[in-house]
């Protein structure tokens, strides 16, 4: 299969985007990376152009002018708390931006391949304790982030019937160096590091009863790259879970982190961090991805947590 010559990455300055750029550079060193994000800057020495993915004219111009071989759409309102705070913006970015990109590709660059990054959140209320969620699971989104992602997920599948070359990936929780403090694991890590540096030896947390399927972000971007590599052999419109298949209770995750701490810390419940819902279990089955392209995660949870904690120690 020919290596892609031009690759557009949206959300290139974000948590996953930075890891994706590094992985793409390693996989296809001769490819031209066209990186866009909300703010201009640099990622690993590559220029990032400021672009509002919710601006249809700007998105259309990007595709029309670059005619990329591959488009990787990572840009999103990713934190559920932020999505809840501004539902309109969430729908504009998480639902309309993929629509604009897919439409621009079909109209101006039909040879382009579109990888849409959806989310395991689209399964929502279908998640049950002890149940592995596979691709046949009913989409029942339960928050604005998830409903907007589900709408885009379904649109990309429908557009593939009309000729769009595309696949959808649904990653489960992924963590690692560089993730925002809006997420639980970085919050735990930053509090532990503050304690190690002489601060209050208390870790303030919300509910620890949720069960999640955690992946190292490098395993997730490896799955994306493997899907891109196999793009000519995968059915257009096919969708894939990216998951470990192993559920871990948040209390056990925190125990692993405190065991990695250089000081003794105390865990304290913070009512402001509690969500008004019962505990949930969201664990995925990635058997389809494993069967079709041979992907499997390589990093253990302990290794991933240790690496994330060390990242915060360097900040």
């Amino acid at each position: 299969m020919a290596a892609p010559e031009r690759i557009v990455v949206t959300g290139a300055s974000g948590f996953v985007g930075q890891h994706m750029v590094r992985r793409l550079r390693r996989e296809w060193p001769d490819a031209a990376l066209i990186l866009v994000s909300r703010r201009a800057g640099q990622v690993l020495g590559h220029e990032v152009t400021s672009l509002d993915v919710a601006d249809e004219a700007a998105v259309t111009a990007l595709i029309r002018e670059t005619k990329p071989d591959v488009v990787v759409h990572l840009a999103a309102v990713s934190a559920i708390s932020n999505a809840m705070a501004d539902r309109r913006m969430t729908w504009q970015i998480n639902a309309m931006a993929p629509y604009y990109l897919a439409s621009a590709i079909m109209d101006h660059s039909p040879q382009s391949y579109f990888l849409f990054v959806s989310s395991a959140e689209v399964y929502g209320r279908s998640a049950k304790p002890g149940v592995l969620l596979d691709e046949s699971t009913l989409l029942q989104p339960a928050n604005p982030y998830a409903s907007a992602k589900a709408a885009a997920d379904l649109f990309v599948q429908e557009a593939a019937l009309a000729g769009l070359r595309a696949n959808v990936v649904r990653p489960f929780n992924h963590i690692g160096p560089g993730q925002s403090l809006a997420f639980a694991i970085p919050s735990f890590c930053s509090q532990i590091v503050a304690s190690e540096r002489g601060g209050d030896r208390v870790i303030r947390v919300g509910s620890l009863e949720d069960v999640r399927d955690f992946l190292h972000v490098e395993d997730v971007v490896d799955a994306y790259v493997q899907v891109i590599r196999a793009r000519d052999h995968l059915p257009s419109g096919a969708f894939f879970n990216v998951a470990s298949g192993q559920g871990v209770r948040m209390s056990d995750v925190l125990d692993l982190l405190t065991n990695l701490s250089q000081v003794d810390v105390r865990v304290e419940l913070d009512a402001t961090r509690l969500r008004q819902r019962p505990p949930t279990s969201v664990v995925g089955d990635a058997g389809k991805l494993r069967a079709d392209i041979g992907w499997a995660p390589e990093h253990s949870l302990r290794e991933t947590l240790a690496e994330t904690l060390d990242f915060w120690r360097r900040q």
Side-chain angles (χ1 to χ4, degrees):
M1 180 186 304
E5 296 181 5
R6 294 175 305 284
I7 305 173
V8 165
V9 181
T10 71
S13 298
F15 165 51
V16 180
Q18 295 185 56
H19 289 272
M20 189 68 184
V21 170
R22 182 180 294 107
R23 184 68 173 81
L24 289 170
R25 177 51 62 226
R26 191 163 70 244
E27 186 71 20
W28 294 294
D30 297 327
L33 299 183
I34 302 153
L35 309 180
V36 298
S37 200
R38 184 173 54 180
R39 297 186 182 90
Q42 286 199 339
V43 172
L44 303 174
H46 297 278
E47 292 297 326
V48 178
T49 301
S50 175
L51 184 136
D52 179 1
V53 292
D55 182 335
E56 183 175 14
V59 168
T60 300
L62 170 71
I63 299 302
R64 185 178 59 239
E65 293 167 10
T66 62
K67 290 185 166 49
D69 298 298
V70 171
V71 177
V72 182
H73 184 48
L74 297 169
V77 177
S78 56
I80 293 174
S81 57
N82 294 338
M84 296 286 287
D86 193 336
R87 293 167 181 259
R88 182 181 180 85
M89 178 185 68
T90 298
W91 270 82
Q92 288 175 331
I93 295 175
N94 289 10
M96 295 311 298
Y99 171 81
Y100 297 148
L101 278 165
S103 298
I105 289 170
M106 295 174 75
D107 290 343
H108 301 289
S109 187
Q111 84 286 349
S112 298
Y113 170 79
F114 185 42
L115 181 66
F116 174 60
V117 177
S118 181
S119 169
E121 283 284 332
V122 299
Y123 295 121
R125 289 166 292 137
S126 290
K128 299 289 189 298
V131 174
L132 289 180
L133 303 170
D134 65 18
E135 290 83 356
S136 68
T137 302
L138 180 66
L139 306 191
Q140 294 195 89
N143 58 64
Y145 167 82
S147 57
K149 279 286 190 181
D153 186 316
L154 293 171
F155 168 73
V156 172
Q157 294 179 54
E158 181 269 323
L161 298 176
L164 178 69
R165 296 181 60 224
N167 288 116
V168 175
V169 283
R170 296 172 181 164
F172 284 67
N173 292 68
H174 38 298
I175 57 177
Q179 190 174 28
S180 161
L181 285 171
F183 295 87
I185 304 304
S187 174
F188 296 164
C189 289
S190 66
Q191 291 184 73
I192 288 172
V193 170
S195 297
E196 292 177 344
R197 293 178 178 172
D200 185 0
R201 294 192 178 185
V202 175
I203 308 301
R204 294 173 176 84
V205 302
S207 172
L208 297 175
E209 295 305 307
D210 287 342
V211 174
R212 291 292 181 267
D213 184 332
F214 286 107
L215 291 162
H216 194 299
V217 63
E218 291 290 345
D219 285 327
V220 172
V221 299
D222 179 62
Y224 300 169
V225 166
Q226 289 196 42
V227 170
I228 294 169
R229 193 191 301 147
R231 64 193 182 281
D232 289 346
H233 305 297
L234 295 174
S236 189
F239 43 96
F240 302 93
N241 285 345
V242 182
S244 75
Q246 302 296 317
V248 185
R249 195 174 302 278
M250 292 300 295
S251 58
D252 293 333
V253 173
L254 185 55
D255 285 346
L256 284 168
L257 279 170
T258 56
N259 288 336
L260 292 166
S261 172
Q262 297 167 357
V263 296
D264 292 331
V265 293
R266 185 176 79 256
V267 176
E268 185 176 286
L269 191 66
D270 179 353
T272 66
R273 299 171 189 256
L274 292 174
R275 293 185 183 176
Q276 301 304 311
R277 57 162 176 73
T280 57
S281 176
V282 184
V283 185
D285 179 347
K288 183 178 175 184
L289 191 63
R290 185 175 296 108
D292 284 9
I293 65 172
W295 174 85
E298 296 182 355
H299 296 77
S300 70
L301 178 58
R302 183 180 179 84
E303 173 189 358
T304 304
L305 293 173
E307 189 176 336
T308 305
L309 186 57
D310 284 342
F311 168 82
W312 284 98
R313 286 174 176 144
R314 294 192 299 272
Q315 300 311 300

